[in-house]
Amino acid sequence: MTQRRMVVVGGDAAGMSAASAARRLKDPGQLAITAFERGRFSSYSACGIPYWTGGLVDGPGALVARTPEEHRRRGIDLRMRTEVTELDLPGQRVRVRDLTSGQESWHGYDDLVLATGARPLRPALEGIDAPGVHGVQTLDDGQALLAGLDGPDGGRAVVIGAGYIGVEMAEALLRRGYAVTVVEKASQPMSTLDPDMGALVRKAMCGMGIDVVTGTAVTGVRTGPGGRVAAVATAAGEYPADVVVLGLGVRPETTLADAAGLPLGEYGGLLTDLAMRVRGHENVWAGGDCAEVLDLVSGRMRHIALGTHANKHGQVIGTNIGGGYATFPGVVGTAVSKVCDLEIARTGLLEAQASAAGLAFHAVTVESTSRAGYYPGAAPMTVKMLAERRTGRLLGVQIVGREGAAKRVDVAAVALTAGMTVERMTALDLGYAPPFSPVWDPVLVAARKAAAAVAAG
Amino acid sequence: MTQRRMVVVGGDAAGMSAASAARRLKDPGQLAITAFERGRFSSYSACGIPYWTGGLVDGPGALVARTPEEHRRRGIDLRMRTEVTELDLPGQRVRVRDLTSGQESWHGYDDLVLATGARPLRPALEGIDAPGVHGVQTLDDGQALLAGLDGPDGGRAVVIGAGYIGVEMAEALLRRGYAVTVVEKASQPMSTLDPDMGALVRKAMCGMGIDVVTGTAVTGVRTGPGGRVAAVATAAGEYPADVVVLGLGVRPETTLADAAGLPLGEYGGLLTDLAMRVRGHENVWAGGDCAEVLDLVSGRMRHIALGTHANKHGQVIGTNIGGGYATFPGVVGTAVSKVCDLEIARTGLLEAQASAAGLAFHAVTVESTSRAGYYPGAAPMTVKMLAERRTGRLLGVQIVGREGAAKRVDVAAVALTAGMTVERMTALDLGYAPPFSPVWDPVLVAARKAAAAVAAG
């Protein structure tokens, strides 16, 4: 049998999951696997950077799930600090540059996996590249940020953007002793929630001592001595800053793919079929943050940068290249986060997303508790639920609360996947015992209210 | 319009939920609602008794969701300490006895709701009715138990039966300073789990200082001075006891219904249709612990005494009597519990239940953690999953772990309800962030292993 060649571009979650899954199915005599990573770390949890920054976890080692050496011992030729600079699809080869030596060479493939990840949005503003302004997308980024942080009472930090990364970094910097200001263009933090739910997050963040400035666009970064960041300038005035973190979200890193003429979607991510094959290309695969995913609720493609999707994509790609069969059916838009003891979760569509998808809906909000009201530690929880008009199909759930709030959204994620109606959800057999839930779980309370709204028309 | 009459037998979860739901739809001029309760408490959380016993919550007041006075203010004529002694179905009336005065009278109805609950199993053994031997089914039971407990270092307690109530009461008595022995006939505690998962519970309970005696039948209760309990006798010897708690489970309390010729199932519970109408009786309804429920996974009727089902039943019955429409489609067998910091959960079928239902299956077990491995507080968790052969349909999940283990079973409960395959579950979009889950949620890890087993045949 001829040995086939699998080449992976990007050595993080999607790429190395693909490599590992393929290796489990094919031994090196059947399949040679080479992976190129331009950074210094492989298979790491970028999601852990805020907790490393905040001193909750050690880094960077603890955030690495599998080191380059471990991959190599498993028969994967992982080359670090090696950047792929060009894809030659007709020639079935990639050009790579060794970032240490500067040497370039071509590598042929039978199957090519693109797992190039995402890059943080960095607005074209004066001073945005000044020392002290940090993205937090890679472990290399995290290392650069930590090297620049001062002692426990370090000064002033400004976080630009109040999405998941923004609020998590706000907590981290607060833990490090910084006075933290979060500047957000939108009217509320967490634009991944509806504004009414975002308002709950704002209130809680303010209670933690975080300065939340919303409805305010950043206009520039002012530098001080040595060209280092000194302040963030906004339409509403200047916020002094010893350190600035970019939490504006990310874009798919698809420069190479674009140059090679591969199909990109509305958000700039690679478009694939359900087996994670790039559309129209039999032997090119893409997964993780560089790819768009099908939103099963709206029927649209979206870009969602999340390690859990990247791992699943990699698993699917590697299984298929290894001769097995797997698909990634799509997502329902689940995301969970926390800032201090506040838990924030969503799945499915927001009001604006549902409208944009052409869906009419009823939206209800309920207050409940994480445990039986009389049980110690019962914490308040707000659950918002959207149900389609007439059909009563669940469209989305948002939860803001304390302990026990975030993972409750999983119930809604499964119900969305199954296309369940809110009426059917009212009878779901969810776990009940006083330490874990009121006798009506908060999600069921919301479902009852939503079902009543649907019935009332 | 003629005023109709709704009569409710039993003033706890199912009965008073039915009364309340009907009252929300019909005002007193349209519907007279009379409820009879033989005990001293209405609408209470019997599930809270272990936490009251353990001193974690106040009682009995805190465990009462709605007092008789509150019900009466809402236009429900709730009569306490009043026992229904006979059902006259052809005459559409019930005979009631005022337990205070001893007076009896007949009350006519148009709709009759049977919510007579369950009674604890009390084996026919010598001494089983001795003072100091307690059931924990009602708040009256709880009050009697607490009145008999000594100070913080109270002596020796024996719990007979190591099911949910048994392990919860073991924790409670441990908290009260008792030396606790749990005696269980089966080979492992928690016979609501497979024996291999029950063994994990045993190990944890022993670690907490609870003496767990399994494979041992109780043969009698020895009494001491004043006829009070002194020890529990077993085939393996005597266990001294100052207090004994019965945790052998419950049976539907259907004496009245049986005498009236209503249809009872295999477990002695009332049989209803999906609207919770007693089969063959247009105007008789039953819900809560006195009724059997359809198990959606096995297709069989089961008896599951659980407050959350009782509340749902009541809601369905009251909605239907009030002129609305609602059904209770059935259960999937979800139950969660804890003993100290150990969380125990199950949903769907155990191995033995699946076999008894004629299902062939693959069973897999995985070890995972509640959070990203590197995140503080990540706790180990064991997940067992059963999937049907060939179809790959999820049949059941059992979880034993620490914080964050129990409510994870809800994901499986929804997947069971939707008839999902384990292959489809591998791609579920569950919430991921390091404080809440590893990048592959433990349930997904189990689904992957189960899907692989199904694929391998």
Side-chain angles (χ1 to χ4, degrees), chain B residues 245-393:
Chain B
V245 170
L246 297 175
L248 292 167
V250 300
R251 279 283 163 148
E253 175 51 78
T254 48
T255 315
L256 285 176
D258 194 25
L262 290 173
L264 304 183
E266 187 180 349
Y267 302 97
L270 279 153
L271 296 176
T272 72
D273 65 15
L274 295 174
M276 301 309 292
R277 206 179 255 114
V278 174
R279 293 186 191 169
H281 293 261
E282 192 58 33
N283 64 340
V284 184
W285 312 74
D289 294 0
C290 69
E292 295 189 6
V293 290
L294 176 63
D295 177 335
L296 296 168
V297 188
S298 68
R300 296 188 171 193
M301 298 302 286
R302 289 175 63 186
H303 180 243
I304 300 178
L306 209 47
T308 188
H309 299 333
N311 272 277
K312 291 190 184 99
H313 293 169
Q315 176 72 25
V316 166
I317 293 169
T319 299
N320 288 321
I321 293 178
Y325 172 69
T327 63
F328 183 81
V331 304
V332 294
T334 312
V336 297
S337 186
K338 68 183 267 298
V339 47
C340 300
D341 66 342
L342 188 78
E343 299 189 3
I344 307 162
R346 61 150 299 170
T347 189
L349 305 179
L350 306 182
E351 292 200 24
Q353 291 173 321
S355 296
L359 296 165
F361 55 86
H362 301 274
V364 300
T365 303
V366 301
E367 307 288 334
S368 184
T369 55
S370 57
R371 312 177 181 193
Y374 56 80
Y375 195 88
M381 189 182 303
T382 305
V383 181
K384 179 169 182 175
M385 186 175 281
L386 270 60
E388 192 182 10
R389 265 182 68 186
R390 298 178 61 96
T391 70
R393 180 169 63 111

Side-chain angles (χ1 to χ4, degrees), chain B residues 118-139:
Chain B
R119 57 172 189 278
L121 281 175
R122 197 175 267 266
L125 294 174
E126 200 187 328
I128 198 78
D129 294 316
V133 181
H134 295 274
V136 285
Q137 186 61 16
T138 65
L139 285 196

Side-chain angles (χ1 to χ4, degrees), chain A residues 17 24 45-49 51 56-58 62-63 168 171 175 296 304 306-309 311-312 315 325-338 342-344 347 372 374-376 403 406-415 417-418 420 423-441 444 448, chain B residues 17 24 45-49 51 56-58 62-63 168 171 175 296 304 306-309 311-312 315 325-338 342-344 347 372 374-376 403 406-415 417-418 420 423-441 444 448:
Chain A
S17 289
R24 277 193 292 274
S45 171
C47 337
I49 294 174
Y51 313 105
L56 271 174
V57 308
D58 290 334
L63 301 182
E168 288 169 4
E171 172 185 345
R175 284 183 175 273
L296 295 168
I304 299 177
L306 208 47
T308 189
H309 299 332
N311 272 278
K312 290 189 184 100
Q315 177 70 26
Y325 172 68
T327 63
F328 184 80
V331 304
V332 295
T334 311
V336 297
S337 187
K338 69 183 267 298
L342 190 77
E343 299 189 4
I344 307 162
T347 188
Y374 56 79
Y375 195 89
E403 194 202 349
K407 282 293 268 180
R408 266 195 167 78
V409 85
D410 284 350
V411 162
V414 186
T417 304
M420 221 171 253
E423 178 73 26
R424 182 65 188 86
M425 288 179 74
T426 63
L428 280 175
D429 187 2
L430 304 184
Y432 163 63
F436 301 118
S437 174
V439 72
W440 288 95
D441 189 277
L444 300 187
R448 281 175 65 181
Chain B
S17 289
R24 277 193 291 274
S45 171
C47 337
I49 294 175
Y51 313 107
L56 271 174
V57 308
D58 289 333
L63 301 182
E168 288 169 6
E171 172 185 346
R175 283 181 175 274
L296 296 168
I304 300 178
L306 209 47
T308 188
H309 299 333
N311 272 277
K312 291 190 184 99
Q315 176 72 25
Y325 172 69
T327 63
F328 183 81
V331 304
V332 294
T334 312
V336 297
S337 186
K338 68 183 267 298
L342 188 78
E343 299 189 3
I344 307 162
T347 189
Y374 56 80
Y375 195 88
E403 194 200 349
K407 281 293 268 179
R408 267 195 166 78
V409 84
D410 284 351
V411 162
V414 186
T417 305
M420 219 170 254
E423 178 73 27
R424 181 65 188 85
M425 287 180 74
T426 64
L428 280 174
D429 188 2
L430 304 185
Y432 164 62
F436 302 118
S437 175
V439 73
W440 287 96
D441 188 278
L444 300 188
R448 280 175 66 181

Side-chain angles (χ1 to χ4, degrees), chain B residues 1-83:
Chain B
M1 198 197 306
T2 327
Q3 189 201 41
R4 289 180 61 86
R5 297 158 304 165
M6 172 180 179
V7 162
V8 178
V9 186
D12 194 8
M16 299 318 293
S17 289
S20 301
R23 177 52 77 231
R24 277 193 291 274
L25 294 171
K26 296 286 184 207
D27 64 38
Q30 300 170 300
L31 182 70
I33 306 179
T34 311
F36 301 106
E37 165 57 44
R38 64 183 175 186
R40 290 178 176 82
F41 300 97
S42 65
S43 298
Y44 57 86
S45 171
C47 337
I49 294 175
Y51 313 107
W52 176 24
T53 306
L56 271 174
V57 308
D58 289 333
L63 301 182
V64 174
R66 205 168 274 180
T67 63
E69 293 67 37
E70 289 170 320
H71 282 298
R72 288 181 200 123
R73 274 203 297 277
R74 286 172 164 84
I76 296 165
D77 181 10
L78 169 56
R79 311 204 188 162
M80 302 300 295
R81 298 284 296 143
T82 305
E83 185 166 13

Side-chain angles (χ1 to χ4, degrees), chain B residues 49-287:
Chain B
I49 294 175
Y51 313 107
W52 176 24
T53 306
L56 271 174
V57 308
D58 289 333
L63 301 182
V64 174
R66 205 168 274 180
T67 63
E69 293 67 37
E70 289 170 320
H71 282 298
R72 288 181 200 123
R73 274 203 297 277
R74 286 172 164 84
I76 296 165
D77 181 10
L78 169 56
R79 311 204 188 162
M80 302 300 295
R81 298 284 296 143
T82 305
E83 185 166 13
V84 173
T85 57
E86 188 184 341
L87 312 179
D88 173 10
L89 301 180
Q92 296 203 175
R93 59 183 193 160
V94 300
R95 191 194 340 232
V96 304
R97 178 188 295 141
D98 180 319
L99 295 179
T100 314
S101 68
Q103 280 197 317
E104 297 215 343
S105 56
W106 287 95
H107 281 261
Y109 64 80
D110 296 297
D111 279 294
L112 174 66
V113 179
L114 299 176
T116 44
R119 57 172 189 278
L121 281 175
R122 197 175 267 266
L125 294 174
E126 200 187 328
I128 198 78
D129 294 316
V133 181
H134 295 274
V136 285
Q137 186 61 16
T138 65
L139 285 196
D140 291 302
D141 291 342
Q143 212 158 33
L145 168 64
L146 272 139
L149 293 186
D150 304 317
D153 291 303
R156 294 161 182 276
V158 174
V159 178
I160 303 178
Y164 291 107
I165 293 289
V167 302
E168 288 169 6
M169 288 306 299
E171 172 185 346
L173 293 161
L174 205 61
R175 283 181 175 274
R176 296 285 300 222
Y178 279 83
V180 179
T181 300
V182 179
V183 183
E184 166 64 47
K185 196 170 55 183
S187 67
Q188 294 293 348
M190 297 304 295
S191 56
T192 51
L193 302 180
D194 284 332
D196 53 339
M197 298 296 280
L200 302 178
V201 177
R202 170 211 287 270
K203 193 176 163 199
M205 288 175 73
C206 293
M208 294 159 194
I210 298 170
D211 183 24
V212 183
V213 181
T214 52
T216 303
V218 171
T219 55
V221 172
R222 188 166 60 74
T223 52
R228 200 181 151 79
V229 63
V232 169
T234 76
E238 254 189 28
Y239 295 90
D242 301 300
V243 61
V244 172
V245 170
L246 297 175
L248 292 167
V250 300
R251 279 283 163 148
E253 175 51 78
T254 48
T255 315
L256 285 176
D258 194 25
L262 290 173
L264 304 183
E266 187 180 349
Y267 302 97
L270 279 153
L271 296 176
T272 72
D273 65 15
L274 295 174
M276 301 309 292
R277 206 179 255 114
V278 174
R279 293 186 191 169
H281 293 261
E282 192 58 33
N283 64 340
V284 184
W285 312 74

Side-chain angles (χ1 to χ4, degrees), chain A residues 115-453:
Chain A
T116 44
R119 58 171 188 278
L121 280 175
R122 197 174 267 263
L125 293 173
E126 201 188 327
I128 197 77
D129 293 317
V133 181
H134 296 275
V136 285
Q137 186 60 17
T138 64
L139 285 196
D140 290 302
D141 291 342
Q143 211 158 35
L145 169 63
L146 272 140
L149 293 186
D150 303 318
D153 292 302
R156 294 160 182 276
V158 174
V159 177
I160 304 179
Y164 290 107
I165 294 289
V167 302
E168 288 169 4
M169 289 306 299
E171 172 185 345
L173 293 161
L174 205 60
R175 284 183 175 273
R176 296 285 299 221
Y178 279 82
V180 179
T181 299
V182 179
V183 183
E184 166 64 46
K185 197 170 55 181
S187 66
Q188 294 294 348
M190 297 304 295
S191 57
T192 50
L193 302 180
D194 284 332
D196 53 337
M197 297 296 281
L200 301 178
V201 177
R202 171 211 286 272
K203 194 176 160 199
M205 288 175 75
C206 293
M208 295 160 194
I210 298 169
D211 183 24
V212 183
V213 181
T214 53
T216 302
V218 171
T219 55
V221 172
R222 187 166 61 73
T223 52
R228 201 183 148 78
V229 63
V232 169
T234 75
E238 254 190 28
Y239 295 90
D242 301 300
V243 61
V244 172
V245 171
L246 297 175
L248 292 166
V250 299
R251 280 282 164 150
E253 174 53 75
T254 48
T255 314
L256 285 176
D258 195 23
L262 290 173
L264 303 183
E266 187 181 349
Y267 302 96
L270 279 153
L271 297 175
T272 72
D273 65 13
L274 295 173
M276 302 308 294
R277 205 179 255 115
V278 173
R279 293 185 192 171
H281 293 262
E282 191 59 32
N283 64 341
V284 184
W285 311 75
D289 294 1
C290 69
E292 296 189 6
V293 290
L294 176 62
D295 177 337
L296 295 168
V297 188
S298 69
R300 294 188 173 194
M301 298 301 288
R302 291 176 62 187
H303 181 241
I304 299 177
L306 208 47
T308 189
H309 299 332
N311 272 278
K312 290 189 184 100
H313 292 170
Q315 177 70 26
V316 167
I317 293 169
T319 299
N320 289 322
I321 292 179
Y325 172 68
T327 63
F328 184 80
V331 304
V332 295
T334 311
V336 297
S337 187
K338 69 183 267 298
V339 47
C340 299
D341 66 341
L342 190 77
E343 299 189 4
I344 307 162
R346 59 136 322 156
T347 188
L349 306 178
L350 305 183
E351 291 201 22
Q353 292 172 321
S355 296
L359 296 165
F361 56 86
H362 301 275
V364 301
T365 303
V366 302
E367 307 287 334
S368 183
T369 55
S370 57
R371 311 177 181 194
Y374 56 79
Y375 195 89
M381 189 182 302
T382 305
V383 181
K384 180 170 182 175
M385 186 175 281
L386 270 59
E388 192 183 9
R389 264 183 68 185
R390 298 178 62 96
T391 70
R393 179 169 65 110
L394 177 69
L395 294 181
V397 165
Q398 299 163 55
I399 307 180
V400 174
R402 307 281 161 165
E403 194 202 349
K407 282 293 268 180
R408 266 195 167 78
V409 85
D410 284 350
V411 162
V414 186
L416 281 167
T417 304
M420 221 171 253
T421 66
V422 290
E423 178 73 26
R424 182 65 188 86
M425 288 179 74
T426 63
L428 280 175
D429 187 2
L430 304 184
Y432 163 63
F436 301 118
S437 174
V439 72
W440 288 95
D441 189 277
V443 174
L444 300 187
V445 177
R448 281 175 65 181
K449 191 166 177 181

